Amino acid sequence: MTDSLISRVREDIRANRGQLKGALVVAAYRIAHAARGPRERRPRAWAYPIGLVYRIVVEWLLGVEIPWGTEIGRRLRVFHGVGIVINDRSVLGDDVVLRQNTTIGNKADGGGCPLIGNRVQIGAGCIVIGDISIGDDSRLGAGSVVTKSVDPGMTMIGNPARPLSSRP
């Protein structure tokens, strides 16, 4: 493992302090992602056993589907990590927070996947699908279904998701 990978894993573990399962999921993802190599080419032969162990432990035993090819920024936080499903073509920025039963991916007919900005908080049971962007510092409320792009700093709630309006 390179110093860069080790420092990223340490950073992720610190970001998930108090969330042992989250720390394990993110650390395992980082190692598998590094072994997989660049997304533009097939993984090297020696990486496949690492990928298999990663899938068995994280996906089958822990119930979190974050493919090893997914692009994820620094300090991903996973709270109550179970039922999380992320499409491998989705992109997550730095300091993203994921909670249980979150789905991030494409629509049933295929198409693009979400681009999640930096410092985005995604509530429990949230569904984010389609070729959309979620702006930096946004918050997606629990149970929200987000199918349209979200401006930076917005708080979205409901199904379909709409901006949280301030009350007088």
Side-chain angles (χ1 to χ4, degrees):
M1 289 197 295
T2 67
D3 288 335
S4 171
L5 175 59
I6 292 170
S7 66
R8 281 235 173 150
V9 169
R10 285 182 179 153
E11 208 173 45
D12 288 325
I13 290 170
R14 279 192 302 275
N16 284 279
R17 77 179 153 268
Q19 295 291 327
L20 181 60
K21 186 175 182 182
L24 174 63
V25 166
V26 180
Y29 159 78
R30 292 284 178 216
I31 293 166
H33 182 76
R36 190 212 180 286
R39 187 180 191 155
E40 302 79 42
R41 64 175 202 228
R42 294 181 59 81
R44 295 170 290 265
W46 60 266
Y48 283 105
I50 294 170
L52 179 61
V53 169
Y54 169 72
R55 285 195 72 179
I56 290 170
V57 172
V58 174
E59 189 172 317
W60 298 352
L61 296 178
L62 299 178
V64 176
E65 291 184 37
I66 304 176
W68 66 345
T70 307
E71 294 296 326
I72 298 177
R74 300 166 72 133
R75 297 174 300 276
L76 173 66
R77 295 180 72 192
V78 175
F79 286 98
H80 313 292
V82 69
I84 294 172
V85 178
I86 301 176
N87 186 291
D88 68 339
R89 291 181 291 132
S90 299
V91 176
L92 282 67
D94 295 337
D95 302 301
V96 170
V97 175
L98 297 176
R99 290 181 179 81
Q100 70 271 20
N101 298 317
T102 295
T103 299
I104 301 172
N106 59 353
K107 295 181 181 178
D109 61 355
C113 291
L115 171 61
I116 310 291
N118 298 320
R119 299 170 303 283
V120 173
Q121 298 229 7
I122 302 176
C126 193
I127 299 170
V128 185
I129 55 174
D131 189 10
I132 61 174
S133 297
I134 308 300
D136 293 347
D137 302 303
S138 295
R139 292 173 302 281
L140 308 179
S144 295
V145 177
V146 184
T147 60
K148 295 182 179 165
S149 291
V150 175
D151 291 334
M154 296 293 296
T155 298
M156 305 296 285
I157 59 169
N159 177 8
R162 62 194 179 285
L164 178 66
S165 58
S166 58
R167 296 186 174 148

